[in-house]
Amino acid sequence: MPIRVRYVECDAMGFAHHSAYLPWLEMGRTELLRQVGVTYAQLEAAGVLLVVTQMELKYRRPARYDDVLSLTTRVTRATRVKIEHAYELRVSERGGGQPHALTAEDIALMQDTGEDLLFTGASTIACIGRDGRPAPLPEWLAGRA
């Protein structure tokens, strides 16, 4: 999923502030659900609520204002009550006053060295019912996770 770093997400140095990453990860989880044909609104309407119980964030290098990033979100494990996700955030196009995209040679070099990798993360989300108590994931969701 592409993300362009907006000015509002940056600190005074022009780097994406660490607080910007959590909404990006939520966007990744939401879009992953959408790709398998389920929206979060449909889950809520069915009385299925998903809450974050754990987050692990590893910042390797900063994203900068106007960079275009590529977020990969994947399910790494699912049980009857929780889903674990892994995230990778890479820079795919320079921004911040550098109007040109990375060349194929730049991208190949970064992939070889891992320099395009900005961030990795992991999260655990758990299912609860409307009463706030733990609940099993619906079978139709557990089978897709």
Side-chain angles (χ1 to χ4, degrees):
M1 162 181 143
I3 297 168
R4 184 176 296 272
V5 180
R6 300 173 302 165
Y7 186 80
V8 70
E9 295 165 326
C10 294
D11 60 21
M13 298 175 288
F15 297 134
H17 191 267
H18 67 273
S19 63
Y21 289 73
L22 292 177
W24 295 342
L25 301 185
E26 182 178 346
M27 291 164 50
R29 289 190 306 274
T30 301
E31 290 306 312
L32 189 60
L33 265 176
R34 193 179 309 280
Q35 287 176 4
V36 296
V38 181
T39 68
Y40 197 80
Q42 290 170 320
L43 288 179
E44 287 182 336
V48 178
L49 305 175
L50 300 173
V51 296
V52 174
T53 61
Q54 183 175 333
M55 274 291 193
E56 181 180 324
L57 312 173
K58 293 181 184 178
Y59 302 92
R60 296 175 51 120
R61 17 180 240 131
R64 292 179 167 82
Y65 169 66
D66 208 35
D67 282 351
V68 177
L69 311 177
S70 175
L71 175 64
T72 302
T73 305
R74 59 188 169 82
V75 172
T76 57
R77 183 171 178 248
T79 69
R80 282 288 295 138
V81 296
K82 67 181 180 179
I83 302 172
E84 296 175 4
H85 293 91
Y87 310 91
E88 286 188 352
L89 191 63
R90 297 177 182 277
V91 64
S92 57
E93 183 180 322
R94 290 186 196 129
Q98 298 178 12
H100 64 283
L102 296 173
T103 66
E105 184 178 353
D106 290 336
I107 292 170
L109 176 62
M110 289 190 305
Q111 288 173 339
D112 289 344
T113 62
E115 289 181 24
D116 69 331
L117 183 61
L118 304 178
F119 168 92
T120 60
S123 65
T124 302
I125 57 175
C127 185
I128 63 171
R130 292 201 189 281
D131 60 0
R133 294 176 166 259
L137 286 165
E139 202 59 45
W140 54 268
L141 178 58
R144 293 182 179 190

